[in-house]
Amino acid sequence: MTSLELATKIGLHPSKLPRLRRLMCVLTISGIFVIHEAASADKEAVYGLTPTTCLLVSDEVKSNLFPIVNLMLDSTIITSFFGMHSWFLDDNSVSMFKKAHGVTFWEMADQDDTYNQLINNAMVYDSNFLMDIILRECGDVFLGINSLIDVAGGHGGAARAITEAFPQMKCTVLDLPHVVANAPSDDHVSFISGDMFEYIPPTNALFLKWVFHDWGDEDCVKILKKCKEAISPRDAGGKVIIIDMVVWSGPNDIVTRETQVFFDLLIMFAEGIEREEFE
């Protein structure tokens, strides 16, 4: 992970140039770069981009994952895992993040404007990437919806993509005060300050992307009860749309399985969980 973090940064002191080759070997083996061997002995090898790297440098907003990778590699998250061994020995429900930093992930976002922006920016780019795929492959799920609330929707990345695809739909984002306070103004997406555990305004449909994996079962049930109170009856088109990873589902290949289990391990820093289908 440290090698990947270095790959996303720009800058190299000339004295470290001889060590760069060793770093590039790791990044090449990891599939971050590809090496083009030198044509002759007096020529230097040239490193090129792979499809993975292109997702970190793309100028296209819908295919740039640098902000989300930047969040995942932030020291606050990485250092949370340094105490994993002692955390497993503790008989308490404190998350690894809180054990390392004294506050929860969400509390730090509330207290630190820079950290809050790091998270919200990452979620916008994640939504840009993901919603392009979802609307193309599963767009029918939004048909017939007149009003939709994106619950814990951050700065409206997903809601904005939905309104672009369905201009007739009224889309609103519900999130905490410190998130909504810095949300960009938008003619097509409205923002409401609130707590999804307390109240979700009435609407035709609710959209929850990467929400339930942040919370334990009891909290998820609380959120779902608030969802049930907010939406129209089923025969009137009421709908709850949930986007979360389902572990051990999908193609049975190593890349899919590695992605699922590594994300499940990663979200554990905040006491979250990526669930299996029966869960």
Side-chain angles (χ1 to χ4, degrees):
M1 286 189 292
T2 302
S3 298
L4 178 57
E5 181 182 16
L6 285 170
T8 64
K9 310 296 183 183
I10 299 176
L12 174 71
H13 192 279
S15 66
K16 298 299 190 294
L17 188 59
R19 280 83 167 180
L20 179 62
R21 180 186 61 82
R22 292 153 66 180
L23 172 63
M24 294 304 294
C25 284
V26 173
L27 294 171
T28 300
I29 292 295
S30 303
I32 306 301
F33 290 103
V34 62
I35 186 169
H36 303 291
E37 297 294 342
S40 59
D42 61 335
K43 299 289 186 180
E44 292 285 345
V46 176
Y47 295 91
L49 301 180
T50 64
T52 300
T53 329
C54 288
L55 293 174
L56 302 178
V57 299
S58 173
D59 292 329
E60 173 59 45
V61 174
K62 292 183 178 180
S63 59
N64 190 328
L65 292 181
F66 172 77
I68 189 70
V69 172
N70 196 34
L71 172 62
M72 290 179 178
L73 297 177
D74 189 80
S75 60
T76 57
I77 294 180
I78 298 300
T79 55
S80 299
F81 289 94
F82 292 171
M84 181 185 285
H85 177 260
S86 61
W87 177 79
F88 268 106
L89 296 175
D90 287 342
D91 183 22
N92 60 54
S93 59
V94 174
S95 67
M96 282 191 284
F97 191 96
K98 186 170 184 177
K99 180 178 174 63
H101 305 292
V103 294
T104 67
F105 179 71
W106 312 112
E107 288 169 342
M108 182 172 286
D110 188 15
Q111 298 169 11
D112 188 326
D113 288 341
T114 301
Y115 199 65
N116 182 40
Q117 184 58 41
L118 175 71
I119 297 170
N120 291 323
N121 191 42
M123 292 300 101
V124 167
Y125 275 81
D126 175 75
S127 292
N128 291 338
F129 181 83
L130 185 65
M131 293 307 298
D132 185 52
I133 299 170
I134 288 175
L135 289 168
R136 185 171 63 248
E137 298 188 6
C138 310
D140 288 353
V141 73
F142 297 99
L143 293 175
I145 296 176
N146 298 316
S147 64
L148 177 145
I149 292 180
D150 185 357
V151 180
H155 283 183
R160 199 167 292 110
I162 294 171
T163 57
E164 288 178 2
F166 301 92
Q168 78 286 353
M169 191 187 306
K170 178 185 177 182
C171 282
T172 305
V173 172
L174 171 72
D175 216 315
L176 296 171
H178 69 273
V179 176
V180 173
N182 297 313
S185 58
D186 195 300
D187 295 334
H188 305 289
V189 176
S190 302
F191 291 86
I192 298 177
S193 173
D195 186 339
M196 62 185 173
F197 287 102
E198 300 296 332
Y199 176 70
I200 299 176
T203 187
N204 188 213
L206 294 171
F207 181 79
L208 301 100
K209 180 183 79 71
W210 303 152
V211 173
F212 291 104
H213 75 166
D214 292 328
W215 305 97
D217 292 347
E218 291 185 6
D219 283 330
C220 286
V221 171
K222 291 178 183 177
I223 297 170
L224 285 168
K225 287 181 177 179
K226 295 301 176 183
C227 289
K228 186 177 182 180
E229 295 171 4
I231 60 171
S232 310
R234 180 181 297 181
D235 56 8
K239 186 179 295 186
V240 176
I241 303 168
I242 299 171
I243 296 180
D244 258 316
M245 182 179 296
V246 182
V247 181
W248 305 116
S249 68
N252 189 25
D253 60 82
I254 188 62
V255 174
T256 299
R257 297 297 176 241
E258 281 186 346
T259 301
Q260 292 171 346
V261 298
F262 279 128
F263 264 96
D264 187 30
L265 181 65
L266 174 67
I267 202 64
M268 197 163 64
F269 82 92
E271 276 297 81
I273 179 174
E274 304 290 1
R275 294 174 170 86
E276 298 180 38
E277 185 173 359
F278 77 94
E279 295 172 306

